[in-house]
Amino acid sequence: MRVLGIETSCDETGIAIYDTDSGLLAHKLYSQVKLHADYGGVVPELASRDHVRKTLPLIEAALDEAGITAADLGGVAYTAGPGLIGALLVGACIGRSLALGWQIPAVAVHHMEGHLLAPMLEDDVPAFPFIALLVSGGHTQLVRVDGIGQYQLLGESVDDAAGEAFDKTAKLLGLDYPGGPRLAALAEQGRADRYQFPRPMTDRPGLDFSFSGLKTHAANTIASADDSPQTHADIARAFQDAVVDTLVIKCRRALDETGLKRLVVAGGVSANKHLREKLHQFADKIGGQVFFPRNEFCTDNGAMIAFAGAQRLLAGEHESLAIRTRPRWPLTELTSV
């Protein structure tokens, strides 16, 4: 089955075509970074309008790249949530309408399930069960995964997500949008021993996260420090080290508590070089395995939606003619396939 995937949950228009026999046939992505840069963050109305302009041309380009036509498709998958309601509606309306016109089934995909399954697009595929760390601008969650749709939430952020804290701290340092990757690049120039930031909620039992206080600690440090480039780099290094150490500590706890040895890490922050190094070191130490998607599939993309949708279409799931989107959608409400 060949499935068209449409991702429009936030500020990136992602389109892909996935073949359940041959793998990924085409992958197109348009980023709205330049559009939102002047505002220092995503403007929902502008994001929605840009998705309207870009989605259909990208679908046409993906079909051309795959060397197929709409008649060769067996289904359409689109992100139905969580995300920005206007942006979600663009992809959902286009996806459902195309499926109706082409007389093929459509399926609504959970954005975070797409991220969770993204490592399965690689050659080295994780076997069930495993622990998943979903870490992005909007989510930081630890999930036990026993199969597709079989999810047990073990812990999550009680305030800012890790990616959100990266972006906010980057803004405090005067870095341009998108701040997270820029802060990580600046941290490469920082000294590890100048500042010591707290590792929040690691001094108590549990698998929940909290990054709001860490962001406040960074703000206070920046306010009391000099304004030199080296000082900013040192603060960025201390902040990144604190976030990464916190994530690693919580992953270790989750694996210890469940007795599992496999860890999947996905979402935008999973592209962070320092996080990948630390988790690989940890996995080697315990004789475990850690799986990441390739960098281009860490951020929002159509490939993960096409893959996740294909699994549910193969299991017989499909949507009615009603178009439904869910800005908030607990991962644990998904059905098993």
Side-chain angles (χ1 to χ4, degrees):
M1 177 187 289
R2 291 170 178 157
V3 178
L4 170 67
I6 302 173
E7 158 59 29
T8 63
S9 65
C10 191
D11 61 340
E12 288 166 314
T13 311
I15 305 295
I17 297 171
Y18 179 80
D19 188 311
T20 53
D21 293 324
S22 305
L24 191 64
L25 301 183
H27 164 55
K28 297 292 183 183
L29 184 69
Y30 173 77
S31 174
Q32 299 177 0
V33 165
K34 291 182 180 179
L35 177 66
H36 301 289
D38 289 343
Y39 304 95
V42 177
V43 181
E45 179 63 23
L46 294 180
S48 302
R49 293 179 183 181
D50 216 34
H51 287 310
V52 171
R53 288 189 288 265
K54 301 298 182 182
T55 302
L56 284 175
L58 285 175
I59 290 173
E60 293 175 354
L63 288 170
D64 287 344
E65 181 180 313
I68 64 173
T69 68
D72 299 310
L73 293 172
V76 177
Y78 56 85
T79 303
L84 303 175
I85 183 62
L88 290 169
L89 279 169
V90 174
C93 288
I94 291 175
R96 190 65 194 87
S97 299
L98 288 177
L100 177 63
W102 293 336
Q103 298 183 30
I104 56 178
V107 66
V109 174
H110 191 292
H111 180 74
M112 296 312 294
E113 180 172 63
H115 276 302
L116 189 154
L117 299 177
M120 295 186 177
L121 288 162
E122 308 304 324
D123 293 333
D124 188 14
V125 177
F128 299 113
F130 56 77
I131 297 298
L133 171 66
L134 303 178
V135 56
S136 66
H139 298 81
T140 303
Q141 298 178 325
L142 279 166
V143 182
R144 177 181 173 124
V145 180
D146 289 294
I148 296 176
Q150 299 176 44
Y151 308 132
Q152 178 188 355
L153 181 64
L154 303 177
E156 62 184 337
S157 180
V158 299
D159 42 52
D160 289 356
E164 183 181 5
F166 261 99
D167 289 339
K168 289 179 177 178
T169 302
K171 193 169 186 178
L172 292 170
L173 288 167
L175 301 176
D176 293 334
Y177 171 84
R182 298 182 190 278
L183 186 149
L186 181 61
E188 295 293 320
Q189 306 166 33
R191 295 170 292 191
D193 56 352
R194 184 172 178 188
Y195 295 102
Q196 183 66 30
F197 281 22
R199 276 56 174 164
M201 295 184 72
T202 60
D203 59 347
R204 69 198 76 173
L207 295 172
D208 285 335
F209 302 88
S210 172
F211 294 106
S212 180
L214 184 60
K215 175 199 63 184
T216 302
H217 186 92
N220 293 336
T221 303
I222 293 166
S224 62
D226 65 78
D227 202 33
S228 70
Q230 185 60 56
T231 293
H232 278 195
D234 294 342
I235 292 172
R237 173 66 183 271
F239 174 82
Q240 177 176 260
D241 285 350
V243 173
V244 168
D245 285 352
T246 300
L247 294 173
V248 173
I249 289 168
K250 296 289 185 170
C251 286
R252 184 184 69 229
R253 284 186 186 175
L255 292 172
D256 286 345
E257 290 182 12
T258 59
L260 299 177
K261 293 286 188 178
R262 284 183 293 273
L263 176 69
V264 163
V265 187
V269 181
S270 69
N272 183 279
K273 178 182 175 182
H274 190 49
L275 177 63
R276 288 186 175 226
E277 290 174 350
K278 287 282 190 176
L279 284 175
H280 274 300
Q281 290 171 7
F282 162 66
D284 289 343
K285 184 177 180 181
I286 67 167
Q289 295 174 286
V290 59
F291 301 85
F292 297 90
R294 70 192 78 168
N295 280 356
E296 64 183 320
F297 294 157
C298 290
T299 53
D300 296 349
N301 63 87
M304 67 184 192
I305 302 305
F307 178 84
Q311 311 314 307
R312 293 193 170 273
L313 285 167
L314 286 174
E317 287 193 17
H318 60 84
E319 301 303 311
S320 66
L321 290 178
I323 297 173
R324 300 183 181 91
T325 55
R326 297 183 62 177
R328 295 182 181 277
W329 188 3
L331 189 64
T332 52
E333 291 185 2
L334 295 180
T335 56
S336 172
V337 299

